[in-house]
Amino acid sequence: MFDNRDNIDFAHTDIRYLFGSIFFPTLLGMVFNMAFIFTDGIFVGHGLGGQGLAAINLICPIMMLINGLGMMLGTGVSVVAAIHLSQGNVKAARINVTQAFATGIAAAVALGLVCYLFPDTVLRLLGVDGGIYDAAREYYLWFLPTCLLNMIITIGLFAIRLDGSPRYAMMSNVVAAIVNGVLDYLFIFPMHWGLMGASLATDIGGLVGAVMVACYMFGKAKTLRFYRLKWSGTSLRLMARNVGYMAKVGVSGLVGEVAVAVMVLAGNLMFIRYLGDDGVAAYGIACYLFPIVYMVCSAVAQSAQPIISFNYGAGAGGRVRRTLRFSLAIAVALGLLVTAVFMLFAPAVVSCFLDSGEAVHGMASHGLPYFATGYLFMAVNICVVGYLQSIERAGAAIFFTLCRGIIFLVAAFVLLPRVWGVEGLWLAVPAAELLTTVCIAAGFLFRKNGDKSNKIIKTGTKLNN
């Protein structure tokens, strides 16, 4: 069995060592998730061609919505529960974790049922039509169980890391990713199950990860064990209040995932308008790679979050600021590294998904370096938004997330192709990230100049359980 006794001390351990003890297991878990996404794209691209990639890309906004809901509840409960733990209120922290799981599961089941009962309506809303419709519908119907499984995993990983067990959280990602990758190959190639096989492999990998999370929460948890909830009218009102506050704190996580869905949806519409189905397939490769970079950046933010939230609740402003500076430095370094890799080796990266003789290969190889120019700014933006969530500044976190994912993004997709043509399509996402970074810098400068005495003060959480 995996050892979950990491004995993490959020209050006294040196920030660099503490961050590293959470970051490396979190990053390794993300790397395996990245490997799962990457190999999934490789198997689909080589086994089913550009149409398979395009079909999955058109369906993925549903997964992003589920991930967003899970991120909202996971981030919210991690912040609130960390503050309660820093103040010695273990019971309240356990109640918060249990309420987050119960709410997330209910939301995933409801969304899954709607998608299952009205598939044609949902597919039309996603922009699926024409010759790609049958392939997308095949993937869609088999993919729906993943909604519930991913919700459990997403919330669970936040709770497990906060409970001081980042290595177990890592293994939950690693084992699920390995299972998914192996089954992807088996189902697509030897068994020739096509998109149904790709979707089924994702379901089974997700089931393994969800079972590991459940085993931890029911049997291995050190502090954040489940707490028996009451279902009286008063208890339900308190639960609604608690979940509402957690959602408020973590809502930028949902907005962030919705923003990625908007990026995919808006990009699909604009690429198909300018470049047709091949353009959507080329953009689909960039969209396959985007979550990989996003997860690397999220690993930084998620590693800093419990440290910042715990010390924020304890009133240790110096440790909060040191954690922010250190996490920003790591985010910048990783952003530069990833940008360089995708700019310098774009054709080789695209060749992992498609044969070099395909027209889509040329489109993607040309566009990927432009697209990659936004990764550095994205790393900074995600890190800062995570910091704002951790200190309960939900409004600012939501605002900057809306800027990078919707406001600036949609404007860039509409305007830049008119100015720079095809290159403008690929530069829309980087432009949105750059403008958001400028807004963040301006906002912090304005706040610093407007309040020289600004310090981290006691928590504003009002949850009483």
Side-chain angles (χ1 to χ4, degrees):
M1 301 300 291
F2 305 117
D3 179 16
N4 63 303
R5 305 273 175 195
D6 294 334
N7 297 318
I8 290 175
D9 183 354
F10 290 107
H12 303 101
T13 304
D14 178 75
I15 293 297
R16 289 173 296 181
Y17 177 82
L18 181 57
F19 182 89
S21 67
I22 302 174
F23 174 69
F24 289 110
T26 302
L27 180 62
L28 187 56
M30 297 285 190
V31 165
F32 272 87
N33 254 346
M34 289 186 281
F36 137 59
I37 293 172
F38 200 70
T39 54
D40 187 68
I42 291 172
F43 292 146
V44 171
H46 286 286
L48 305 173
Q51 189 180 64
L53 289 172
I56 293 177
N57 196 49
L58 288 165
I59 300 302
C60 73
I62 298 175
M63 176 57 73
M64 292 171 185
L65 177 58
I66 285 292
N67 286 344
L69 291 170
M71 288 285 289
M72 177 181 73
L73 292 169
T75 302
V77 73
S78 185
V79 170
V80 173
I83 292 171
H84 282 311
L85 290 176
S86 73
Q87 298 168 348
N89 196 346
V90 174
K91 177 184 174 182
R94 290 175 177 172
I95 290 174
N96 291 149
V97 168
T98 308
Q99 291 171 336
F101 270 101
T103 304
I105 290 171
V109 170
L111 181 61
L113 284 174
V114 170
C115 291
Y116 182 78
L117 294 173
F118 307 101
D120 295 330
T121 301
V122 174
L123 289 170
R124 283 197 297 271
L125 289 173
L126 293 172
V128 180
D129 57 14
I132 212 167
Y133 184 88
D134 290 339
R137 196 176 194 276
E138 176 186 358
Y139 184 83
Y140 167 89
L141 291 174
W142 286 93
F143 156 86
L144 291 179
T146 299
C147 295
L148 174 60
L149 301 171
N150 261 34
M151 180 68 75
I152 294 171
I153 293 170
T154 303
I155 298 173
L157 295 184
F158 278 95
I160 292 169
R161 281 192 289 266
L162 179 60
D163 197 49
S165 302
R167 285 182 290 170
Y168 190 95
M170 173 194 73
M171 292 308 301
S172 299
N173 267 336
V174 168
V175 175
I178 291 174
V179 170
N180 179 83
V182 171
L183 293 180
D184 253 333
Y185 172 78
L186 292 175
F187 291 166
I188 291 175
F189 290 101
M191 301 180 73
H192 302 290
W193 284 0
L195 285 170
M196 179 196 75
S199 187
L200 189 58
T202 303
D203 293 338
I204 297 173
L207 177 62
V208 171
V211 168
M212 291 186 68
V213 167
C215 288
Y216 182 92
M217 297 305 300
F218 281 107
K220 288 178 167 291
K222 292 180 284 188
T223 303
L224 294 177
R225 297 186 294 273
F226 285 133
Y227 192 91
R228 185 182 296 275
L229 299 178
K230 299 177 181 179
W231 301 102
S232 65
T234 300
S235 297
L236 289 174
R237 285 194 297 272
L238 289 173
M239 179 175 175
R241 183 200 64 178
N242 290 353
V243 172
Y245 187 77
M246 287 186 279
K248 177 184 175 182
V249 172
V251 71
S252 60
L254 170 61
V255 176
E257 290 293 326
V258 170
V260 177
V262 170
M263 180 198 82
V264 174
L265 189 58
N268 286 340
L269 294 174
M270 296 303 292
F271 270 84
I272 203 167
R273 175 181 174 183
Y274 282 87
L275 298 173
D277 288 345
D278 284 349
V280 173
Y283 183 61
I285 293 175
C287 291
Y288 252 108
L289 297 171
F290 188 86
I292 295 175
V293 183
Y294 188 87
M295 280 191 283
V296 172
C297 302
S298 292
V300 178
Q302 291 179 26
S303 300
Q305 182 271 314
I307 305 171
I308 293 174
S309 294
F310 188 98
N311 286 282
Y312 169 69
R319 288 177 65 81
V320 170
R321 290 187 289 274
R322 286 197 296 275
T323 305
L324 172 62
R325 289 194 293 268
F326 189 73
S327 61
L328 274 173
I330 298 296
V332 169
L334 288 173
L336 287 171
L337 176 62
V338 174
T339 299
V341 168
F342 286 119
M343 289 186 71
L344 295 174
F345 304 104
V349 172
V350 175
S351 294
C352 293
F353 295 90
L354 296 169
D355 295 330
S356 58
E358 295 191 39
V360 176
H361 186 285
M363 289 184 181
S365 299
H366 173 74
L368 190 57
Y370 292 101
F371 192 85
T373 57
Y375 289 149
L376 170 61
F377 308 112
M378 181 179 75
V380 172
N381 296 340
I382 291 174
C383 188
V384 173
V385 167
Y387 162 74
L388 293 171
Q389 289 176 315
S390 301
I391 62 170
E392 299 183 295
R393 288 182 58 192
I398 294 168
F399 173 74
F400 291 128
T401 304
L402 286 172
C403 284
R404 64 176 289 266
I406 298 178
I407 298 171
F408 293 148
L409 180 67
V410 172
F413 263 125
V414 172
L415 296 176
L416 291 186
R418 299 179 181 179
V419 179
W420 287 320
V422 172
E423 287 75 15
L425 285 173
W426 292 103
L427 286 170
V429 174
E433 298 287 359
L434 171 60
L435 289 172
T436 304
T437 302
V438 171
C439 287
I440 286 173
F444 272 78
L445 182 63
F446 177 79
R447 183 177 177 84
K448 181 178 179 180
N449 290 338
D451 186 5
K452 293 290 186 181
S453 63
N454 177 50
K455 300 289 182 184
I456 302 296
I457 59 174
K458 65 180 181 179
T459 175
T461 184
K462 299 180 180 179
L463 295 182
N464 299 307
N465 294 278

